[in-house]
Amino acid sequence: MNLSANEIAERKDAIRKQAHANRKGQADKEAVSQRITDRLHQMSQYQNATAVMYYVDVRDEVRTRHALPEALASGKKIVVPFCVDGELELFHLESIDELETGMYKILEPRADLRQLAAKRVEVAELDLVIVPGVAFDQNGGRTGHGKGYYDKLLEHARADTPLISLAFECQMFPEIPVAQHDIYMDFVVTEDAVYAGRGRA
């Protein structure tokens, strides 16, 4: 079924609203998030990766900040994104102390460290990208907040770099309508399952 761009946008908006409500109502977010990140850390894609991009959770997203100390202690190069003028930049995180609360109460890299050459990372260096999102389907279809930040970033990721999203089961939908620029995830990890997506094939 071919949908027009307007129809896709309308459907995505409706799913986004429902997913936000579901996510907000998710009980025991901390413990459920721990189960999700534990499942992620057991995956071979994570264990085999040297450089991993983790997002830092905001609002009702699957919590990741509890998992960052373990990730940092693993010997992997941990990278976190931050937004500059509508684009995502990448930062090599070596300690939780390098984060501070910025605009919109989002935890992000300290302003005084962002421009250091040693802290800047190119997308092509990443062996695994952990991608946040609002709603997903079992094929790896994803909808974010509608700004396209991650779509723009992921266009430049290596073809062999797995894209893995973390989600509460309540964020899973039968089908996410996708537009041409949308990118499918390789895996979506929830508290109940690891769903193998289509990826970028």
Side-chain angles (χ1 to χ4, degrees):
M1 178 170 58
N2 289 327
L3 299 174
S4 71
N6 279 346
E7 287 171 322
I8 289 174
E10 283 173 15
R11 287 201 183 186
K12 275 192 175 180
D13 199 42
I15 288 172
R16 210 177 269 128
K17 283 178 181 161
Q18 184 62 55
H20 274 302
N22 292 356
R23 198 170 69 174
K24 192 169 179 130
Q26 170 67 47
D28 209 3
K29 286 187 182 70
E30 300 295 335
V32 177
S33 295
Q34 182 78 55
R35 279 163 56 194
I36 294 168
T37 55
D38 284 351
R39 198 180 284 272
L40 166 73
H41 288 178
Q42 289 161 10
M43 293 175 67
S44 61
Q45 290 80 7
Y46 178 84
Q47 292 178 358
N48 295 336
T50 301
V52 175
M53 193 196 91
Y54 241 113
Y55 69 88
V56 184
D57 63 90
V58 297
R59 294 180 288 278
D60 297 312
E61 288 177 340
V62 170
R63 307 281 193 255
T64 56
R65 59 189 77 188
H66 68 271
L68 283 171
E70 179 188 339
L72 288 166
S74 70
K76 297 180 186 300
K77 181 175 188 175
I78 301 301
V79 177
V80 294
F82 63 97
C83 194
V84 177
D85 299 328
E87 302 278 342
L88 289 178
E89 304 275 346
L90 301 180
F91 178 88
H92 178 201
L93 183 71
E94 294 173 275
S95 164
I96 293 294
D97 297 339
E98 294 175 335
L99 299 175
E100 65 183 1
T101 304
M103 281 176 68
Y104 312 114
K105 299 187 178 172
I106 293 173
L107 205 57
E108 54 191 17
R110 280 175 22 207
D112 61 317
L113 299 176
R114 291 180 185 181
Q115 300 310 317
L116 297 177
K119 289 295 189 181
R120 298 182 75 82
V121 180
E122 295 298 322
V123 186
E125 295 176 50
L126 301 173
D127 304 313
L128 173 64
V129 182
I130 301 170
V131 185
V134 178
F136 304 90
D137 64 30
Q138 292 187 17
N139 290 319
R142 167 189 172 274
T143 186
H145 292 281
K147 304 238 179 350
Y149 294 158
Y150 277 88
D151 289 321
K152 284 187 265 187
L153 179 78
L154 297 177
E155 280 174 14
H156 305 290
R158 294 198 321 263
D160 66 336
T161 298
L163 310 180
I164 300 182
S165 280
L166 309 182
F168 299 117
E169 196 65 40
C170 66
Q171 292 172 257
M172 300 300 295
F173 285 75
E175 185 179 10
I176 300 292
V178 290
Q180 201 167 355
H181 65 274
D182 290 323
I183 294 173
Y184 282 89
M185 300 296 102
D186 292 288
F187 298 94
V188 181
V189 181
T190 74
E191 67 271 27
D192 291 342
V194 175
Y195 299 103
R198 280 176 43 181
R200 289 166 287 171

